[in-house]
Amino acid sequence: MSAPTRAALPMDLQALIEDRDTRILVCCGAGGVGKTTTSAALALAAAEAGRTVVVLTIDPARRLAQSLGLEELDNEPRQVEVPGAEGELHAMMLDMKRTFDDVVSAHSTPERAEQILANPFYQSLSSSFAGTQEYMAMEKLGQLRATDRWDLIVVDTPPSRSALDFLDAPNRMGRFLDGTMIRLLTAPARAGGRAGIRIVGAGFMVFSRIISKILGGQLLRDISAFVSALDTMFGGFRERATATYELLRRPGTYFVVVATPEPDALREASYFVDRLSAEGMPLAGLVLNRTHPPASTVLSATRAEAAAEEVAEGGGPGAELAAGALRVHAERMQLATREQRLADRFTSAHPEVAVRAVPAAAGDVHDLDGLRVMAAELTGPDGDTPTGVPRTRVLPARRA
């Protein structure tokens, strides 16, 4: 007889979102696993539980707006009408460039801000430079938390492993600011006046000639002007990113990893779990999304297939329909068994991670009613399922 599998820990998301000490929820995972819908459903459930919630998506897809009944989302929170809710629900989508522009305007003089915003290198950096999106996500999260307008912030991260790149934003910013090129580009301005130019002139001219050949003279001048104009803001960038990073590690913040019962998605989930553990980030658990539990767990796939053959051979009124139903059940049991095997493998590797299994919806979630159904699956009591199977599992656990 097979040994019993290790039982996954239950995850009580209802208690988590009702707890007033919970201030930030970050949903992360691979692409296509339902992070956006999970984020929106948790935010809706929290609003209906009396919380004042804003859900921030960093994914440029329009699914969040559609499911919330909004035509579009932008960089400012928009209130979502939720009839009967005791709290409030707001939603927004990160606009990387606008957030960067707002930071520049807020932390420099009007003259300096105008100079920076008009710089061609800045315009490229703020809209497409690698790592800018993750840093601006940190900035926006910090801004939302600093206003204290919302008592819960739900963050929907980008797909794939880049979803956790914003954890690297403070270190990246530090490496960028302390890099050799930045020090050389800002050396004349920091030295000051003609004396400064004489001091750094020879070395800078050699550097300038080399880089000009690589980048082109105009681009180098644009970068130098941008760095000089932004120099006074560097410390603030680093301090705010570091403060937000520490905010993510403090009590009141929780990460929810989302995956589907597929090998690739669960491998990504393992990566997230390991990375969060290494960073000392608080993990709420794994949402195993889009599972396929059978309508009944009494009849095994093998017995259902055998019964289907027997019914079909016996013939009679309704035999074909009954045999078809039995075969569908057998296929569903086989799929559920495969999904449970994958989930058990994850739990064996990460026994400390709580799990919540969420059945696949009949169709795409595109409105508040659909989000409520998913929210009920995410937050319902652990044993309150049609078959009585705990929400940590797709199928009942094997007996010893």
Side-chain angles (χ1 to χ4, degrees):
M1 181 178 293
S2 300
T5 57
R6 184 188 295 270
L9 299 173
M11 179 166 55
D12 192 347
L13 286 169
Q14 183 65 30
L16 194 68
I17 61 175
E18 288 182 350
D19 186 353
R20 295 284 171 169
D21 290 332
T22 302
R23 304 301 302 273
I24 298 173
L25 285 180
V26 182
C27 294
C28 53
V33 298
K35 289 190 314 298
T36 299
T37 309
T38 299
S39 301
L42 288 173
L44 175 62
E48 293 186 327
R51 306 292 301 272
T52 302
V53 191
V54 60
V55 55
L56 164 66
T57 182
I58 306 173
D59 186 349
R62 303 295 178 184
R63 290 186 297 275
L64 180 58
Q66 294 169 353
S67 62
L68 294 173
L70 299 174
E71 291 185 5
E72 61 178 0
L73 293 174
D74 55 25
N75 210 45
E76 294 299 324
R78 296 190 179 194
Q79 185 164 0
V80 180
E81 294 298 327
V82 184
E86 297 182 15
E88 294 181 7
L89 176 59
H90 300 77
M92 63 182 297
M93 183 177 70
L94 179 72
D95 184 323
M96 180 174 65
K97 187 179 189 310
R98 184 174 169 188
T99 300
F100 209 152
D101 291 350
D102 290 344
V103 170
V104 169
S105 298
H107 298 281
S108 59
T109 64
E111 295 78 10
R112 183 60 62 86
E114 184 178 357
Q115 182 182 0
I116 294 171
L117 296 175
N119 184 280
F121 179 72
Y122 167 77
Q123 293 171 3
S124 175
L125 173 75
S126 61
S127 59
S128 59
F129 200 74
T132 305
Q133 183 185 55
E134 289 75 24
Y135 179 78
M136 287 304 124
M138 294 282 276
E139 281 278 356
K140 180 55 70 175
L141 177 57
Q143 291 171 12
L144 292 172
R145 186 65 180 86
T147 64
D148 216 27
R149 177 181 172 188
W150 296 277
D151 57 28
L152 178 61
I153 302 168
V154 181
V155 181
D156 166 38
T157 60
S160 80
R161 295 186 179 187
S162 65
L164 288 180
D165 283 353
F166 65 90
L167 297 180
D168 292 328
N171 288 333
R172 282 186 184 176
M173 182 60 69
R175 289 194 298 269
F176 174 70
L177 301 181
D178 296 333
T180 300
M181 179 176 288
I182 296 300
R183 292 200 302 272
L184 285 169
L185 287 171
T186 57
R190 288 174 176 172
R194 292 185 176 275
I197 293 175
R198 286 195 298 271
I199 292 171
V200 301
F204 184 76
M205 288 303 294
V206 172
F207 166 79
S208 178
R209 283 196 297 270
I210 295 172
I211 298 301
S212 292
K213 291 179 180 179
I214 300 172
L215 301 179
Q218 184 58 50
L219 179 57
L220 178 60
R221 286 190 290 274
D222 290 340
I223 296 174
S224 181
F226 165 72
V227 171
S228 297
L230 204 64
D231 187 35
T232 57
M233 297 175 58
F234 280 163
F237 274 130
R238 183 164 21 206
E239 289 171 5
R240 289 191 303 277
T242 301
T244 304
Y245 176 84
E246 292 302 322
L247 178 67
L248 292 173
R249 300 178 65 181
R250 291 209 301 261
T253 297
Y254 293 94
F255 285 78
V256 176
V257 177
V258 185
T260 52
E262 297 294 335
D264 289 346
L266 284 169
R267 274 194 294 269
E268 290 291 286
S270 292
Y271 165 81
F272 284 117
V273 167
D274 291 340
R275 175 70 192 280
L276 291 169
S277 176
E279 296 282 347
M281 300 292 177
L283 175 65
L286 171 76
V287 168
L288 189 63
N289 196 23
R290 299 176 188 159
T291 62
H292 298 86
S296 171
T297 61
V298 175
L299 193 61
S300 69
T302 302
R303 292 174 59 194
E305 288 175 344
E309 292 296 327
E310 184 176 346
V311 169
E313 290 175 1
E320 185 176 347
L321 180 62
L326 286 165
R327 291 191 181 99
V328 168
H329 175 75
E331 291 174 0
R332 187 73 173 228
M333 283 293 291
Q334 289 170 350
L335 177 59
T337 300
R338 173 182 175 274
E339 292 177 348
Q340 187 61 64
R341 188 180 301 118
L342 290 168
D344 289 340
R345 191 179 303 165
F346 175 89
T347 297
S348 295
H350 304 283
E352 76 287 357
V353 177
V355 175
R356 167 61 61 123
V358 176
D364 290 338
V365 177
H366 58 272
D367 55 21
L368 288 179
D369 288 339
L371 285 177
R372 282 195 182 93
V373 171
M374 184 169 187
E377 296 290 353
L378 286 164
T379 61
D382 188 49
D384 183 19
T385 63
T387 60
V389 176
R391 294 183 187 271
T392 55
R393 300 185 58 82
V394 184
L395 291 174
R398 294 198 303 267
R399 295 180 180 178

